[in-house]
Amino acid sequence: MTYEIKPIAEDHIPGFRATLDAVAREQKFLSFLEAPPLEQMRAFVLNNINERWPQFVVVAEDEIAGWCDVLPNPRRTVSLHCATLGMGLLPKYRGQGIGRKLMQRTIDAALARGFTRIELTVRETNVNAIALYRSFGFETEGLHRKAVCIEGRYENTLSMALTS
């Protein structure tokens, strides 16, 4: 399969939103159940581009197959060094090493940008993602019991971080 990892660009926004929405609707991975409206996504992405935050997409088979970003923490006391990683891939692109390459590119850009702490939260049941994060050096820092509730089903999440 041929794919390319690229910094997100304005013309990627509709495809990025569609991919984010598809992953969110799986109800297994993200902290929200659907993507925000297109105009809200446009403002979000254009701000990230303007600020040059690390945000990449995978383009495969004429679609956005996935994304990974490392965005600064909004709290002022940590925003100069601390950021949060988010990522997702459409199901047909998982398990092929694409996520690993995408994450490596994004983390490299985040470290080059000067971030010294990259945080994330992950559902405790997402063992594949946890293994991927650990392989990059992320360490578990906390357990959040009943942090997610979807259709009456509770799930725990883990807080993980990578420090340099």
Side-chain angles (χ1 to χ4, degrees):
M1 171 187 316
T2 303
Y3 65 90
E4 195 173 352
I5 297 171
K6 299 180 173 186
I8 198 163
E10 187 171 357
D11 63 323
H12 296 136
I13 295 170
F16 168 57
R17 186 201 174 275
T19 298
L20 180 77
D21 191 61
V23 174
R25 289 179 186 276
E26 289 181 73
Q27 299 185 357
K28 297 178 185 176
F29 308 112
L30 303 180
S31 61
F32 45 90
L33 303 178
E34 63 183 304
L38 182 58
E39 285 313 307
Q40 188 177 340
M41 290 295 302
R42 182 176 308 285
F44 169 76
V45 171
L46 291 177
N47 180 68
N48 293 341
I49 292 169
N50 184 54
E51 296 292 335
R52 298 182 181 178
W53 302 130
Q55 186 172 25
F56 294 88
V57 292
V58 176
V59 180
E61 302 174 1
D62 296 322
E63 71 179 334
I64 301 297
W67 78 93
C68 187
D69 50 45
V70 174
L71 305 175
N73 192 308
R75 296 179 309 219
R76 288 213 174 260
T77 59
V78 296
S79 63
L80 298 177
H81 74 284
C82 187
T84 301
L85 183 139
M87 72 177 296
L89 285 173
L90 292 173
K92 68 182 180 179
Y93 299 102
R94 295 176 190 154
Q96 301 174 50
I98 297 170
R100 174 174 299 284
K101 290 177 183 170
L102 175 62
M103 200 168 144
Q104 185 68 64
R105 176 106 182 252
T106 307
I107 289 173
D108 288 347
L111 296 175
R113 180 70 199 256
F115 292 117
T116 58
R117 178 180 171 83
I118 301 173
E119 304 172 332
L120 61 86
T121 58
V122 59
R123 293 191 198 176
E124 189 177 43
T125 55
N126 193 349
V127 294
N128 291 337
I130 293 167
L132 175 65
Y133 301 145
R134 285 190 176 136
S135 75
F136 276 91
F138 281 82
E139 295 181 20
T140 301
E141 295 186 333
L143 170 69
H144 305 270
R145 292 180 181 86
K146 293 186 174 182
V148 174
C149 182
I150 299 173
E151 297 178 4
R153 189 183 80 249
Y154 292 96
E155 291 186 55
N156 299 335
T157 62
L158 300 175
S159 292
M160 300 181 79
L162 173 69
T163 57
S164 66

